[in-house]
Amino acid sequence: ALLPPILRRVLLKRRLLARCLALTALIGCIIWLAGSFPQPPPPPSQSETPAAQAKDGMVVSSLTPAANQNGPSLPNYRVHIFYYAWYGEPGTDGAWLHWNHSRLPHWNAERARKFSQAGHTPPGDIGANFTRNWVPILAPISVLRSGAGTVVVSWYPPGMADGNGRPVDRLVPMLLSAAREFQLRLALHIEPYAGRSPANLRRHLRYIAATHARHPAFYRERTRDGRWLPVHYIYDSYRIPRSLWRPLLLGGGLGGSASIRGKSEDALMFGLAMSIGDCQTIKESGFDGAYTYFAADGFTQASTRSNWAAMSRQCSTAGVAFAPSIGPGYIDTAVRPWNAENTRQREGGRYYTDGLRTAIAARPVFLSITSFNEWHEGTQIEPAAPRYGYLDYTPRKRDHYLDLTAQYAALFKPDTSAGL
């Protein structure tokens, strides 16, 4: 607290740079050895975007012709993987972030009393059932082989964060720069921030359109009328009634002046499906796609794998894109000690491969992977380290789930001829 203001700013910038370098290494190495995957051509808008000055002095310019070539090194952009940039360690951030996640009480007070609500104290005790090596910049071998081309970053508006971390919007420009260098794409997973409503979401969509979405590495898809629009996932979209979504998401006279359609903030919006019949509900709300997110088979009707073929057909009939979410397992008892009933064992990878096969057989428009690194819920495919008291991938190797993801990303061949 006694440091001069200039020195404090220098130290803050150094910490932020170190954190961004770690994220750059993590995200940038995903495509190395990804293999050859069939892809939709890069959007014309990404090759025609004029150079522009963005926040923090970062220049946003078009991709070079060489980077736009659909060469054999490109990953599968229709495989989307959920990614969390909210972690931090003292060496890079001055404090533990998210690894010290609190234990959440059950909503039933009587049941809550049966379980500890004590917090976690890293590095000896972390808020996860698996753990990884505490290395700020991971070795490339740990993130080479996922094959997913689109990284869907958990996002809160500027200055906002969840209760266990710090704002991550400031990291997005640097993540986009890393993605561009390695021909990845980034999309945003818009979290249910405090007070979220269609009205203020439109304001935040304008912010995204004016800053992040102008970057050539921001993920876009072709619409039926030939435009290329950004893609946004809206977590817990079902918490807002359909009647409130419609003015924002429906076009023409149906949406009115409040609609994003045809405006600078227009985007392809994916709503969270909870039940088997939600494709129609999501369509009527004005969304363009449906995803299931949850990695626990049977947790919701929509996350129940045996329902995916029917949901894919229903979404196709409704005219919305279906993106089932596949996870390698699920365990969150380090942060929800009362939730053991929803644990899904990895079974040496069988749980994951069964889900991937079921999803591909359903012929969806996208595959979504839950997750690259949601350690609190044990859905990560990032390498886990053997450590007493924690789970790991034994007898499989540390990169097992990255390798499995790449194998099935290569098998997934969505129909790229039709727009959304």
Side-chain angles (χ1 to χ4, degrees):
L2 299 178
L3 291 173
I6 293 178
L7 182 55
R8 287 204 304 270
R9 288 197 295 271
V10 170
L11 291 175
L12 179 61
K13 288 182 178 179
R14 289 181 65 185
R15 288 171 181 168
L16 179 59
L17 178 60
R19 189 176 182 191
C20 291
L21 285 173
L23 292 169
T24 298
L26 185 66
I27 200 170
C29 292
I30 289 176
I31 70 160
W32 191 21
L33 297 183
S36 178
F37 305 119
Q39 298 303 320
S45 60
Q46 292 187 357
S47 61
E48 297 167 2
T49 302
Q53 192 72 22
K55 286 185 64 181
D56 301 322
M58 183 184 71
V59 175
V60 178
S61 60
S62 61
L63 291 173
T64 63
N68 270 321
Q69 297 302 313
N70 191 23
S73 63
L74 292 178
N76 194 330
Y77 296 118
R78 290 286 183 101
V79 178
H80 299 177
I81 190 163
F82 295 108
Y83 175 82
Y84 296 84
W86 56 25
Y87 302 101
E89 294 94 23
T92 56
D93 300 276
W96 291 103
L97 301 175
H98 263 270
W99 296 114
N100 59 349
H101 198 294
S102 58
R103 289 180 172 88
L104 304 174
H106 193 273
W107 51 86
N108 181 296
E110 182 178 352
R111 188 174 180 186
R113 285 193 291 269
K114 299 178 182 178
F115 300 93
S116 171
Q117 295 180 23
H120 292 279
T121 307
D125 172 31
I126 65 171
N129 295 79
F130 293 84
T131 187
R132 65 168 173 82
N133 289 326
W134 302 113
V135 180
I137 300 177
L138 299 181
I141 192 64
S142 67
V143 288
L144 302 175
R145 303 183 182 97
S146 83
T150 302
V151 181
V152 186
V153 179
S154 173
W155 185 84
Y156 289 82
M160 302 181 72
D162 72 295
N164 293 277
R166 294 175 182 167
V168 297
D169 178 71
R170 60 182 178 166
L171 300 177
V172 174
M174 297 182 196
L175 289 171
L176 283 165
S177 293
R180 180 188 178 193
E181 181 179 356
F182 293 98
Q183 300 189 48
L184 287 174
R185 299 290 181 263
L186 255 71
L188 298 182
H189 196 191
I190 300 177
E191 299 282 1
Y193 53 84
R196 188 181 73 181
S197 69
N200 61 36
L201 178 58
R202 184 185 182 192
R203 183 170 68 251
H204 295 311
L205 291 175
R206 286 176 179 168
Y207 164 79
I208 294 169
T211 55
H212 308 320
R214 298 169 64 192
H215 196 284
F218 204 94
Y219 182 66
R220 292 173 179 268
E221 271 289 344
R222 182 169 62 88
T223 65
R224 292 186 179 92
D225 59 5
R227 295 176 299 153
W228 289 86
L229 293 180
V231 173
H232 304 313
Y233 286 81
I234 312 299
Y235 187 65
D236 275 1
S237 57
Y238 66 91
R239 292 186 178 183
I240 296 176
R242 174 173 41 183
S243 60
L244 297 182
W245 279 123
R246 288 169 64 87
L248 180 75
L249 300 180
L250 291 178
L254 296 174
S257 60
S259 175
I260 66 171
R261 301 309 182 185
K263 302 182 176 71
S264 64
E265 63 269 28
D266 200 356
L268 295 170
M269 307 285 281
F270 276 65
L272 179 61
M274 298 292 285
S275 68
I276 192 172
D278 272 357
C279 289
Q280 185 61 37
T281 301
I282 282 173
K283 175 65 175 180
E284 292 172 358
S285 298
F287 286 95
D288 305 285
Y291 73 113
T292 62
Y293 187 75
F294 302 108
D297 183 16
F299 178 65
T300 67
Q301 285 186 348
S303 72
T304 301
R305 297 167 174 181
S306 60
N307 292 333
W308 287 348
M311 289 189 70
S312 184
R313 291 191 297 270
Q314 290 171 12
C315 281
S316 179
T317 300
V320 298
F322 183 48
S325 304
I326 310 97
Y330 188 92
I331 182 167
D332 67 353
T333 52
V335 294
R336 299 183 185 94
W338 37 266
N339 197 36
E341 64 193 65
N342 284 311
T343 295
R344 302 293 184 269
Q345 301 295 338
R346 295 193 171 220
E347 302 173 3
R350 190 178 70 177
Y351 180 86
Y352 194 34
T353 56
D354 285 351
L356 288 164
R357 288 169 182 156
T358 302
I360 291 173
R363 300 181 62 81
V365 179
F366 303 97
L367 292 182
S368 55
I369 306 296
T370 306
S371 62
F372 189 85
N373 62 341
E374 221 301 12
W375 290 85
H376 304 308
E377 296 181 348
T379 64
Q380 78 288 338
I381 64 169
E382 195 175 31
R387 182 179 172 189
Y388 179 77
Y390 292 86
L391 300 172
D392 59 55
Y393 303 157
T394 306
R396 303 297 187 182
K397 61 180 182 177
R398 297 176 71 248
D399 294 338
H400 183 58
Y401 294 94
L402 294 171
D403 292 344
L404 288 178
T405 307
Q407 291 170 23
Y408 284 89
L411 293 174
F412 179 54
K413 295 176 174 60
D415 179 7
T416 60
S417 63
L420 300 181

